[in-house]
Amino acid sequence: MRVAIVGAGLAGMATAVDLVDAGHEVEIFESRPFVGGKVGSWIDADGNHIEMGLHVFFNNYANLFALMQRIGATDIFLPKEHVHNFVNAGGDIGKLDFRFFLGAPFHGLKAFFTTGQLTIVDKLRNALALGTSPIVPGLVSYEAGMKLIRDLDRVSFADWFRSHGGNNHSLRRMWDPIALALGFIDTENISARCMLTIFMMFASKTEASKLNMLVGSPAEYLHKPIVEYLEARGTKIHTRSQLRQVKYTGSGDNIHITGFDIASGDSIETITADAYVCACDVPGIHRIIPTDWRKSTFFDNIFKLEAVPVTTVQLRFDGWVTEMSDRAERHQLAHAAGLDNLLYSADADFSCFADLALTSPADYYREGEGSLLQVVLTPGEPFIPMKNEDIVQHVVAQVNNLFPSARELKVTWSSVVKLAQSLYREKPGMDPFRPTQATPIDNFFLAGSYTAQDYIDSMEGATISGKQAAQAVLASFSDLKQTANCL
């Protein structure tokens, strides 16, 4: 079977890996000049690695880790201390410290009852809310807990949390930064299903909440091994190749795809295959679906999904921003110093950030230079129309508010990447509109982290969607073979 895939993000490449391993021929078309989708990265004219977001790999990314192990990329992650750090104004650090001699769920209870990020009242109210959540029955039966969690898609996490005894101070100081880091929207606007799914995974598995960062950039350490694996098995990957039109015959319930018109430069070529997969994000699939198809509820529902904006800022300093205790260490440039972990904040417009020169040194540490801070501005709406230089000044002021000790440091380089439409907006009530990977069209399939799967819009969600898309394609091929044999 020949399969044409549009989109070379993690979803498209995960789909391709399963299909080529099953013996099929795959060709991938990507409109950007690089692969990776929302996890894409590239090198600018001065040799700086630019990213479209801050990418963190939790230990519960089981499908993504299995994919990388399968292709032989086993040494690409750097494990971080099992602590979630909240940096507050003035340099105060509030920790969720999961290190404990007992495993799940006791390590989580220890982390929440000992954190300095919450008051005693907050902790009691959190205990009441989480103690009456589906997480508790989920510790006995994971699937029973997840069934209850899926039913909570209709309400926001904040409304659910308050209705179970939680308080607003906890939402503002802890849960908002986490929600913004996960889905780029706060707890008042994110589905309870989305947040509680993550909590269920963290509570049931000791190491699930432990995180890793890439050794270096996504282009080098995540995408390159996948591309090499696919190309070694005959897969052709075309960048700067955009799907202009889906060609098809029939109408209503009897549509059949006959080809993809792919534009590359000034030329357009019609690509034909046995199966066609669109592994896109929300705005991408909105552009692709022909108007006629919206007569189908399946396809029309996809247009109810929205995407959220995000702005990612990288700042290089002439010293070490997160080294707060030792002034001499902060100003020396002989080695990296500071907090080597993902960082959250409730006191800045960036929900999560990290010093990549520490966390991912292979491509981001430079001799004779200091921190490379990467921050994610969420919610992103106010920043999309702003000038890049104004955004940089705004971020620097907030960095100095969090790290007063770094006010003597100067920014030596900066980058701003804006995505007006990024992750799909996981607001309440959206889950029923997420499409399955198999569509009503017999030879047309979908992949992408917005499609139906239990995880959130993330790298793990994209990988799961790709695996499910490949399964749907293979099941369709099996049905065709059985029909042919009968004939």
Side-chain angles (χ1 to χ4, degrees):
M1 180 167 57
R2 185 164 185 262
V3 184
I5 299 175
V6 169
L10 272 175
M13 291 195 289
T15 305
V17 168
D18 277 6
L19 291 175
V20 297
D21 282 354
H24 301 289
E25 180 185 342
V26 177
E27 199 162 1
I28 304 176
F29 303 90
E30 169 58 50
S31 61
R32 291 188 175 106
F34 51 84
V35 303
K38 294 192 291 288
V39 196
S41 71
W42 64 95
I43 302 175
D44 71 5
D46 298 319
N48 299 295
H49 289 263
I50 312 295
E51 293 193 25
M52 297 168 67
L54 182 60
H55 307 297
V56 181
F57 302 80
F58 287 97
N59 270 18
N60 64 327
Y61 280 15
N63 292 277
L64 177 55
F65 287 163
L67 171 66
M68 301 314 292
Q69 186 170 19
R70 180 171 166 186
I71 66 172
T74 55
D75 299 318
I76 64 171
F77 299 109
L78 293 177
K80 303 305 175 186
E81 200 171 40
H82 201 175
V83 177
H84 292 197
N85 296 284
F86 293 78
V87 183
N88 303 307
D92 173 63
I93 304 290
K95 295 177 180 287
L96 273 178
D97 190 341
F98 292 92
R99 296 170 298 181
F100 196 47
F101 69 96
L102 294 176
F106 304 104
H107 74 316
L109 295 174
K110 177 261 183 186
F112 283 106
F113 277 109
T114 60
T115 182
Q117 189 65 12
L118 300 176
T119 67
I120 292 175
V121 172
D122 294 339
K123 294 172 185 178
L124 293 174
R125 299 286 289 270
N126 268 275
L128 178 60
L130 297 179
T132 57
S133 76
I135 294 171
V136 176
L139 295 174
V140 178
S141 169
Y142 186 87
E143 185 50 43
M146 283 304 303
K147 184 178 186 303
L148 294 170
I149 287 171
R150 293 184 198 110
D151 290 341
L152 291 173
D153 181 66
R154 65 190 182 279
V155 299
S156 73
F157 178 76
D159 285 345
W160 174 87
F161 187 71
R162 286 188 290 258
S163 72
H164 282 250
N167 62 341
N168 284 327
H169 190 259
S170 294
L171 290 171
R172 302 292 86 85
R173 301 307 300 170
M174 178 173 287
W175 301 122
D176 270 350
I178 292 174
L180 287 162
L182 290 173
F184 302 164
I185 51 178
D186 62 23
T187 55
E188 302 291 345
N189 294 289
I190 199 168
S191 162
R193 178 203 61 80
C194 176
M195 294 285 281
L196 289 169
T197 295
I198 304 300
F199 298 166
M200 180 76 253
M201 293 177 177
F202 284 4
S204 60
K205 298 177 183 177
T206 302
E207 295 294 304
S209 52
K210 191 171 184 179
L211 60 87
N212 309 264
M213 302 287 279
L214 285 174
V215 171
S217 69
E220 287 296 316
Y221 290 90
L222 188 66
H223 307 136
K224 186 178 179 181
I226 303 176
V227 168
E228 290 176 344
Y229 183 89
L230 289 171
E231 289 181 339
R233 286 153 182 79
T235 299
K236 296 177 182 176
I237 302 175
H238 309 273
T239 56
R240 302 182 189 272
S241 299
Q242 185 179 48
L243 174 60
R244 288 288 178 84
Q245 184 180 3
V246 178
K247 289 191 169 183
Y248 60 95
T249 59
S251 61
D253 295 332
N254 296 304
I255 293 173
H256 186 80
I257 309 300
T258 58
F260 280 169
D261 277 356
I262 303 292
S264 180
D266 295 329
S267 65
I268 296 179
E269 181 183 3
T270 299
I271 303 298
T272 60
D274 301 299
Y276 301 82
V277 180
C278 281
C280 307
D281 55 11
V282 168
I285 196 62
H286 284 178
R287 286 192 296 269
I288 287 169
I289 294 174
T291 304
D292 283 355
W293 293 9
R294 293 191 64 178
K295 296 172 185 176
S296 160
T297 301
F298 179 93
F299 290 109
D300 192 56
N301 278 346
I302 298 174
F303 287 83
K304 295 181 174 65
L305 302 176
E306 305 168 5
V308 295
V310 66
T311 297
T312 301
V313 181
Q314 289 174 291
L315 302 171
R316 177 78 73 176
F317 290 83
D318 61 355
W320 301 100
V321 173
T322 65
E323 173 51 60
M324 294 182 281
S325 60
D326 188 328
R327 186 177 185 276
E329 186 75 352
R330 185 162 56 253
H331 285 273
Q332 60 77 33
L333 296 175
H335 58 265
L339 300 172
D340 179 10
N341 211 326
L342 175 69
L343 307 171
Y344 301 93
S345 182
D347 291 330
D349 289 323
F350 38 89
S351 53
C352 62
F353 61 106
D355 186 344
L356 296 184
L358 278 159
T359 62
S360 304
D363 291 319
Y364 298 107
Y365 172 77
R366 284 187 170 184
E367 269 189 68
E369 299 189 48
S371 291
L372 179 62
L373 218 61
Q374 182 158 295
V375 311
V376 181
L377 292 164
T378 52
E381 284 87 349
F383 302 101
I384 299 299
M386 285 178 63
K387 294 180 179 178
N388 286 359
E389 54 267 30
D390 294 338
I391 292 174
V392 169
Q393 290 178 11
H394 179 79
V395 170
V396 170
Q398 294 202 334
V399 168
N400 289 337
N401 182 50
L402 297 182
F403 300 96
S405 57
R407 289 173 183 170
E408 300 171 358
L409 303 181
K410 294 180 181 179
V411 175
T412 59
W413 172 83
S414 65
S415 165
V416 177
V417 177
K418 300 175 182 177
L419 291 179
Q421 298 185 90
S422 180
L423 303 182
Y424 100 87
R425 192 182 296 273
E426 303 225 32
K427 63 184 182 181
M430 289 295 102
D431 209 46
F433 303 124
R434 297 170 72 181
T436 55
Q437 288 76 33
T439 77
I441 301 172
D442 62 354
N443 65 338
F444 183 73
F445 305 86
L446 301 175
S449 48
Y450 75 93
T451 60
Q453 42 86 19
D454 254 340
Y455 211 72
I456 59 173
D457 192 340
S458 63
M459 293 178 287
E460 174 70 357
T463 306
I464 295 171
S465 78
K467 290 179 66 66
Q468 292 179 177
Q471 289 168 5
V473 173
L474 294 172
S476 172
F477 180 66
S478 177
D479 290 344
L480 286 171
K481 285 180 65 177
Q482 290 178 9
T483 300
N485 289 337
C486 290
L487 293 174

